[in-house]
Amino acid sequence: MNSITKARLLNELNEKELQTGAANTNKSWHNVYRESAWIYVGGLDFQLTEGDVLCVFSQWGEIVNMNLLRDKKTGKSKGFAFICYEDQRSTILAVDNFNGVKLAGRQIRVDHVKDYKPPKEHENDDDLIRTLKELGCAPGVDLPPPSSSSSSSSRRKDEKHSFYVKQEPKRFKK
């Protein structure tokens, strides 16, 4: 079954639940996923960045972690992502409202993920990447400083939010 058909069937199932009054009960199909705050988003345009996806999907709740899969050699997006919300109720909103919607000219598929397994570690991951994979980038997560080998540009720590901001080079007047 292709993704467009599956999106249509899920939307029909949601309509039936609304008509029967089972939408907010334990009889809802969403109840199976009550222990997971992860969703799958497929069919994304390959030009979309993590920031684009965060911007669109954050309207349904606070996103605490996201994994936009990319090709290891080229770094290009593979067209799908996994998103974790702070609250599981946000996953229901995202699945019900975004499944089958056109985003950047492509129809996307959004579905629950019951058992998300984080990406495997690679030997060249530094402490910052490992921490982001394990804990995400939610407020209050203390990230280690980036390793000096990861970037030659200067960085400063934003004291208020515990993350690193790339500094612009100083420009001198002539």
Side-chain angles (χ1 to χ4, degrees), residues 121-164:
E121 286 188 31
H122 294 83
E123 60 276 353
N124 58 351
D125 286 349
D126 61 6
D127 290 339
L128 176 63
I129 299 299
R130 272 191 228 104
T131 304
L132 282 170
K133 285 180 179 178
E134 291 172 15
L135 304 175
C137 54
V141 173
D142 291 325
L143 297 176
S147 65
S148 59
S149 63
S150 67
S151 175
S152 61
S153 64
S154 61
R155 295 176 178 234
R156 68 171 173 80
K157 185 173 181 181
D158 185 325
E159 299 299 329
K160 183 177 177 185
H161 297 290
S162 296
F163 60 87
Y164 290 84

Side-chain angles (χ1 to χ4, degrees), residues 4-158:
I4 296 172
T5 305
K6 185 160 183 171
R8 183 180 49 79
L9 291 174
L10 285 178
N11 288 335
E12 288 174 5
L13 183 60
N14 287 333
E15 283 295 321
K16 287 179 186 175
E17 282 188 358
L18 285 172
Q19 291 171 357
T20 62
N24 294 326
T25 66
N26 288 339
K27 295 179 184 178
S28 172
W29 71 275
H30 293 292
N31 193 45
V32 175
Y33 304 99
R34 68 184 173 275
E35 300 296 323
S36 174
W38 286 92
I39 61 170
Y40 164 82
V41 182
L44 293 170
D45 184 271
F46 300 111
Q47 301 300 317
L48 292 176
T49 65
E50 286 86 350
D52 298 331
V53 177
L54 285 171
C55 218
V56 171
F57 281 85
S58 64
Q59 65 184 306
W60 304 117
E62 184 73 29
I63 295 175
V64 294
N65 200 342
M66 183 182 130
N67 182 15
L68 178 67
L69 280 85
R70 296 185 171 276
D71 184 79
K72 290 178 185 173
K73 293 180 183 174
T74 64
K76 292 183 180 179
S77 169
K78 290 186 176 183
F80 64 98
F82 295 93
I83 298 173
C84 181
Y85 284 100
E86 185 177 50
D87 185 8
Q88 193 276 334
R89 294 174 292 184
S90 297
T91 65
I92 295 171
L93 290 170
V95 169
D96 286 350
N97 291 297
F98 269 134
N99 198 24
V101 167
K102 278 196 172 189
L103 179 64
R106 295 189 60 173
Q107 189 168 12
I108 62 171
R109 179 176 158 231
V110 181
D111 203 354
H112 293 282
V113 176
K114 190 170 186 177
D115 297 316
Y116 177 76
K117 294 180 180 38
K120 295 178 183 174
E121 286 188 31
H122 294 83
E123 60 276 353
N124 58 351
D125 286 349
D126 61 6
D127 290 339
L128 176 63
I129 299 299
R130 272 191 228 104
T131 304
L132 282 170
K133 285 180 179 178
E134 291 172 15
L135 304 175
C137 54
V141 173
D142 291 325
L143 297 176
S147 65
S148 59
S149 63
S150 67
S151 175
S152 61
S153 64
S154 61
R155 295 176 178 234
R156 68 171 173 80
K157 185 173 181 181
D158 185 325

